[in-house]
Amino acid sequence: MLNAYPYASGHVLVMPQRHVQELGDLSAEEASDLWQLALAAAAAIQRAYTPDGMNLGANLGRAAGAGIPNHLHLHIVPRWTGDTNFMTSVASVRVLPEPLPRSWEKLRAAWST
């Protein structure tokens, strides 16, 4: 799923089908599926955007920035040397070179089934 408020074009959220709050709440099969989906998402981002790197992370708990209880998800954010990703943390501003529908089109075309 695309992040509605992305840090960069191509910012993807990967989540399990079952709503859980903690990584430890996932079954072994769910954890494996989540990681396999994260790998597929990272590969699609690589094909669609050819970034210089990627950030992958999770905000676990409200104190860590999780906004919705029982809603575990991973963020996969493409990064480029010299990008403006720091703008969110220092100026509360996000800089995106493309609209979300275009990001969806590019990622869908790059996704391997």
Side-chain angles (χ1 to χ4, degrees):
M1 139 181 321
L2 290 177
N3 189 330
Y5 305 101
Y7 290 116
S9 295
H11 181 168
V12 172
L13 301 177
V14 177
M15 62 195 68
Q17 288 186 343
R18 184 169 62 96
H19 292 286
V20 298
Q21 186 167 338
E22 302 291 333
L23 287 170
D25 295 337
L26 294 170
S27 70
E29 182 178 3
E30 289 170 325
S32 177
D33 289 347
L34 182 67
W35 191 248
Q36 291 302 313
L37 189 55
L39 292 172
I45 290 169
Q46 187 65 46
R47 283 190 292 276
Y49 290 94
T50 59
D52 297 325
M54 290 186 215
N55 290 122
L56 187 135
N59 301 331
L60 302 175
R62 193 166 300 280
I68 303 171
N70 299 320
H71 184 70
L72 170 72
H73 58 274
L74 303 176
H75 292 261
I76 305 176
V77 183
R79 299 297 305 273
W80 294 267
T81 303
D83 67 21
T84 58
N85 187 268
F86 68 90
M87 295 296 286
T88 299
S89 57
V90 298
S92 297
V93 172
R94 299 210 178 153
V95 179
L96 297 177
E98 69 184 10
L100 287 177
R102 179 66 185 130
S103 296
W104 173 253
E105 291 169 2
K106 287 171 79 169
L107 287 166
R108 182 149 173 105
W111 200 277
S112 294
T113 54

